[in-house]
Amino acid sequence: MSEVRLAAEPRTEFGKGAARRTRRAGKIPAVLYGHGSDPKHVALPALEFARVVREHGTNAVLTLDLGGAANELALTKTVTTHPLKNYIEHVDLLLVKRGEKVTVEVLLVITGDAVPGALVTQEISQLLVEADALNIPEQVEVSIAGVQPGTQIHASDVVLPEGVTLGIDPEALVVNVVAAPTAEQMEGGAEETAAAAETTES
C-alpha cells in the first residue's frame, strides 16, 4: 500500500450547512483523530480523494499536507457515501505513525477453480488483519484450485504476507466447498416445495 500525499485545509465552520458549503467548494469534510489528540476538522480535495479510494481502496494511507503545520500520516477509517447520489459525504481519518500496527479489514479474493461438480461458498469477503500502517496489503488471496467437495478453508489456512497477522478467530470459516446438487435432486426439491404449497392451501 503506497502513501498518497493530499492537501488538507483546516475547517472552522461546522454543522450541515457548513458541510454543504464545503462540498460545493469541491472538498470533503473530514475529521482527523487518534493518539489521544483533539480531533482536527479538515477539508480534503474531493476529486483527488475519490481517486485515491478508487485506486488504493479505503485502507489508503495519506500524507496530509496541513499547510504551515507538520505533515500527518493518516489511515482512511470510514468513508460515508450519499445513499442515492453516490458522492462522498464525510471521511474519518485515523492518525498513524511509521512502524505502528493497525487492525484493518482487507479484501479476501478466491483464486482458481474447484473440481467439477463442486459448489463453492465464500463465507467471508473481508478478512480482519493486523499490519504495519504503511504495509497494509490491498488484498489477500486463497486458492481453491482442485479442491474437492467436503473441503473447508478456515482463516488460519489463509497465507498472509510477511508481517501481517490474523485478527479474527483462526477457526472462522472462510470458504466452504460442497457437492453441487444434481438435476434429480433439484427436481425433487421443487416437487416437495410444490406439494407443501398444495397442502398449505388445502
Side-chain angles (χ1 to χ4, degrees), residues 14-36:
F14 309 105
K16 290 184 177 180
R20 280 195 295 270
R21 286 192 292 274
T22 298
R23 286 191 286 268
R24 277 200 298 268
K27 302 182 189 303
I28 302 169
V31 176
L32 179 65
Y33 63 95
H35 290 161

Side-chain angles (χ1 to χ4, degrees), residues 14 16 21-22 27 29 32 49-50 53 60 80 87 117 122 133 135 146 148-149 153-155 191 194-197:
F14 309 105
K16 290 184 177 180
R21 286 192 292 274
T22 298
K27 302 182 189 303
L32 179 65
F49 182 78
V53 172
T80 304
Y87 63 82
Q122 183 173 355
N135 289 290
Q148 301 283 338
I153 299 175
H154 298 90
E191 290 171 1

Side-chain angles (χ1 to χ4, degrees), residues 98-163:
R98 294 183 187 278
E100 180 181 359
K101 292 278 190 178
V102 293
T103 300
V104 294
E105 287 189 329
V106 297
L107 185 65
L108 184 67
V109 178
I110 292 178
T111 62
D113 295 302
V115 298
L119 182 64
V120 178
T121 304
Q122 183 173 355
E123 303 290 345
I124 295 176
S125 60
Q126 302 274 341
L127 191 66
L128 191 69
V129 300
E130 187 179 65
D132 185 296
L134 299 185
N135 289 290
I136 300 171
E138 292 191 23
Q139 64 184 43
V140 292
E141 297 180 353
V142 58
S143 173
I144 59 166
V147 300
Q148 301 283 338
T151 301
Q152 289 189 329
I153 299 175
H154 298 90
S156 58
D157 300 319
V158 179
V159 179
L160 298 174
E162 185 177 354

Side-chain angles (χ1 to χ4, degrees), residues 65 67 86 106 195:
D65 184 351
N86 205 34
V106 297

Side-chain angles (χ1 to χ4, degrees), residues 56-126:
H56 301 276
T58 54
N59 285 333
V61 176
L62 308 175
T63 300
L64 298 178
D65 184 351
L66 298 170
N71 292 346
E72 297 276 19
L73 278 180
L75 177 67
T76 308
K77 196 65 177 173
T78 308
V79 177
T80 304
T81 305
H82 191 282
L84 299 177
K85 299 180 181 178
N86 205 34
Y87 63 82
I88 298 174
E89 289 188 302
H90 187 271
V91 178
D92 285 335
L93 302 169
L94 181 65
L95 279 169
V96 294
K97 295 178 180 177
R98 294 183 187 278
E100 180 181 359
K101 292 278 190 178
V102 293
T103 300
V104 294
E105 287 189 329
V106 297
L107 185 65
L108 184 67
V109 178
I110 292 178
T111 62
D113 295 302
V115 298
L119 182 64
V120 178
T121 304
Q122 183 173 355
E123 303 290 345
I124 295 176
S125 60
Q126 302 274 341

